[in-house]
């Protein structure tokens, strides 16, 4: 019988989904994806998570709930670190425990630890462990992982070219009527989740605005800029966001920056402040922070976004190099 593995559409999903989908399909499993985020998933997530959790963690719980009666296993790895000497947010590390304690009657979780701070040998064991839910054949697992890595590279280059293959976000090549370019900043699961982000990327694109996101950047360039910080940023998402912002501010090839953050995010409380200071002081770049939680109304977000893009268009038409923002 084919093993069914559920993959929740949240958190690391936007970064790694093609890798794990290919891996398990190559091993002969059926991969079942939770539905795109919607009101029901959000409400279920909110009901089944501790109040203190951030919105993306609540949404993740909603996706796990959505899969609970449809699959044999749910993929909820314990993500500690995906780069040497760096860490992911603590909420990623404790995710399997949080999910298991919050939602009753779950199928078993695939909760293998991913920790790139451990030795190469231990990483091999990690991959075997992930595969062993479907087969005990190490050669098959190795081949499936190699194939998955190739798919993952293709996915990354598609995003770099400005296409958003997951969740049907508009392809940036479709429209280019405006000469405004905005950097949409934030954790991947915030900016690419259509429902959670209130369609931020789509709204900008529908107005013909060109966008860039951290995932479109060259990793080497981002790392070079992040490495000039006085102290190493040891959170991987933080390093990527700061390096991207520093590069874009220096290059001066964007007209403004919109940062989408989740209320109560510990990492963003530091990163946003650092980026905003750099944007305003060094680049004199208009900066808009949108902070969301489950109570945020879309109308308010739309108004702020429209005012921001109107200001950028006015500035482009009339201002030349003079600043209108202090
Ligand atoms: S980095 Fe922030 S938004 Fe992401 S899971 Fe951690 S607290 Fe939540």
């Amino acid at each position: 019988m084919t093993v069914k593995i559920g993959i929740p559409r949240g958190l690391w999903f936007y970064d790694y989904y093609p890798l794990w989908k290919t891996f398990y399909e190559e091993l002969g499993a059926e991969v079942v994806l939770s539905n795109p985020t919607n009101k029901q998933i959000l409400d279920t997530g909110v009901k089944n998570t501790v109040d203190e959790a951030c919105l993306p963690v609540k949404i993740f719980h909603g996706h796990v709930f959505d899969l609970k009666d449809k699959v044999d296993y749910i993929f909820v790895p314990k993500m500690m670190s995906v780069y040497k000497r760096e860490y992911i947010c603590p909420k990623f590390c404790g995710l399997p425990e949080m999910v298991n304690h919050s939602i009753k009657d779950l199928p078993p979780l695939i909760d293998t630890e991913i920790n790139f701070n451990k030795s190469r040998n231990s990483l091999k064991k990690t991959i075997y462990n992930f595969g062993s839910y479907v087969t005990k054949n190490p050669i098959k697992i190795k081949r499936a992982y190699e194939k998955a890595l190739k798919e993952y590279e293709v996915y990354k280059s598609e995003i770099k070219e400005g296409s958003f293959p997951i969740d049907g976000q508009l392809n940036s090549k479709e429209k280019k009527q405006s000469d405004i370019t905005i950097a949409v900043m934030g954790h991947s699961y915030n900016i690419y989740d259509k429902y959670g982000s209130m369609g931020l990327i789509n709204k900008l694109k529908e107005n013909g605005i060109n966008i860039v996101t951290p995932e479109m950047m060259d990793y080497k360039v981002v790392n070079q800029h992040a490495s000039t910080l006085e102290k190493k940023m040891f959170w991987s998402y933080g390093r990527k966001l700061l390096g991207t912002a520093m590069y874009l501010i220096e290059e001066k090839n964007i007209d403004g920056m919109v940062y989408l953050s989740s209320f109560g995010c510990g990492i963003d409380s530091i990163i946003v402040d650092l980026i905003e200071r750099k944007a305003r002081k060094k680049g004199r770049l208009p900066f808009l922070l949108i902070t969301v939680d489950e109570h945020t109304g879309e109308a308010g977000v739309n108004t702020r976004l429209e005012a921001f893009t109107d200001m950028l268009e006015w500035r482009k038409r009339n201002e030349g190099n003079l600043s209108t923002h202090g």
Side-chain angles (χ1 to χ4, degrees):
M1 212 178 68
T2 311
V3 177
K4 282 189 185 176
I5 294 181
I7 298 196
R9 219 183 260 259
L11 295 178
W12 38 260
F13 167 79
Y14 296 92
D15 294 300
Y16 298 110
Y17 169 62
L19 183 128
W20 294 112
K21 176 185 186 292
T22 311
F23 178 66
Y24 282 118
E25 284 183 350
E26 281 297 305
L27 292 178
E30 181 186 338
V31 171
V32 180
L33 199 50
S34 57
N35 284 305
T37 311
N38 53 37
K39 185 164 178 355
Q40 194 190 344
I41 286 180
L42 172 65
D43 289 348
T44 315
V46 169
K47 229 160 73 191
N48 287 282
T49 322
V50 289
D51 286 345
E52 295 73 25
C54 59
L55 182 64
V57 167
K58 289 178 180 166
I59 289 178
F60 188 88
H61 279 67
H63 284 286
V64 171
F65 202 94
D66 187 53
L67 289 166
K68 147 176 131 63
D69 301 320
K70 303 177 187 166
V71 294
D72 301 308
Y73 297 101
I74 302 185
F75 185 75
V76 188
K78 190 177 179 62
M79 266 204 186
M80 304 294 286
S81 157
V82 289
Y83 294 101
K84 280 251 174 249
R85 290 182 292 283
E86 286 186 10
Y87 290 93
I88 310 260
C89 164
K91 285 176 186 152
F92 275 66
C93 314
L95 205 56
E97 288 80 5
M98 217 195 293
V99 164
N100 247 334
H101 282 101
S102 307
I103 306 176
K104 287 200 178 76
D105 304 323
L106 281 176
L109 301 184
I110 299 181
D111 58 356
T112 304
E113 180 182 311
I114 299 176
N115 192 343
F116 277 63
N117 286 316
K118 290 191 173 168
S119 68
R120 218 181 148 73
N121 247 349
S122 127
L123 287 175
K124 279 187 194 157
K125 278 185 204 152
T126 300
I127 293 157
Y128 177 77
N129 202 320
F130 276 120
S132 65
Y133 288 86
V134 186
T135 172
K136 304 288 177 203
N137 182 336
I139 305 207
K140 224 177 153 190
I141 293 174
K142 185 172 174 280
R143 284 201 191 125
Y145 190 68
E146 283 164 0
K147 178 92 194 292
L149 276 181
K150 281 188 192 146
E151 282 302 312
Y152 175 54
E153 289 307 319
V154 172
Y155 173 69
K156 282 199 294 185
S157 48
E158 277 175 348
I159 294 192
K160 258 189 211 159
E161 283 163 20
S163 113
F164 297 91
I166 292 178
D167 261 10
Q169 303 265 11
L170 291 179
N171 190 312
S172 68
K173 287 171 191 154
E174 285 174 17
K175 282 188 177 185
K176 273 202 176 174
Q177 302 147 353
S178 163
D179 53 357
I180 299 281
T181 301
I182 291 181
V184 178
M185 303 290 288
H187 303 246
S188 55
Y189 41 87
N190 280 334
I191 63 175
Y192 298 125
D193 184 324
K194 255 206 288 190
Y195 188 85
S197 71
M198 299 177 197
L200 175 63
I201 289 179
N202 277 15
K203 277 177 185 142
L204 293 172
K205 288 190 166 188
E206 277 160 12
N207 286 316
I209 290 167
N210 305 305
I211 63 150
V212 290
T213 66
E215 285 68 32
M216 290 182 191
M217 299 294 120
D218 184 315
Y219 295 119
K220 279 194 190 141
V221 175
V222 166
N223 286 343
Q224 271 163 14
H225 280 78
S227 68
T228 61
L229 288 164
E230 276 174 37
K231 201 173 165 208
K232 181 175 163 63
M233 173 56 62
F234 55 84
W235 290 313
S236 298
Y237 277 111
R239 191 231 330 122
K240 180 160 83 172
L241 286 161
L242 261 173
T244 299
M246 288 162 82
Y247 164 73
L248 292 172
I249 292 166
E250 198 176 296
E251 288 293 301
K252 297 192 185 344
N253 50 10
I254 53 168
D255 301 291
M257 196 176 270
V258 176
Y259 196 112
L260 184 68
S261 176
S262 301
F263 180 75
C265 171
I267 291 180
D268 275 0
S269 66
I270 294 167
I271 301 294
V272 171
D273 191 55
L274 281 170
I275 292 180
E276 186 169 3
R277 281 181 205 205
K278 286 182 192 297
R280 289 194 195 282
K281 283 197 184 144
K282 205 171 169 201
R284 295 180 164 249
L285 189 74
F287 181 91
L288 174 67
L289 171 65
I290 299 176
T291 306
V292 290
D293 66 9
E294 61 271 30
H295 307 297
T296 306
E298 191 168 348
V301 171
N302 288 349
T303 310
R304 294 185 65 208
L305 209 54
E306 274 166 32
F308 187 70
T309 52
D310 283 353
M311 181 272 289
L312 292 184
E313 271 161 16
W314 188 91
R315 195 173 183 244
K316 193 107 180 171
R317 274 199 313 272
N318 304 316
E319 191 188 24
N321 289 324
L322 296 173
S323 165
T324 53
H325 52 90

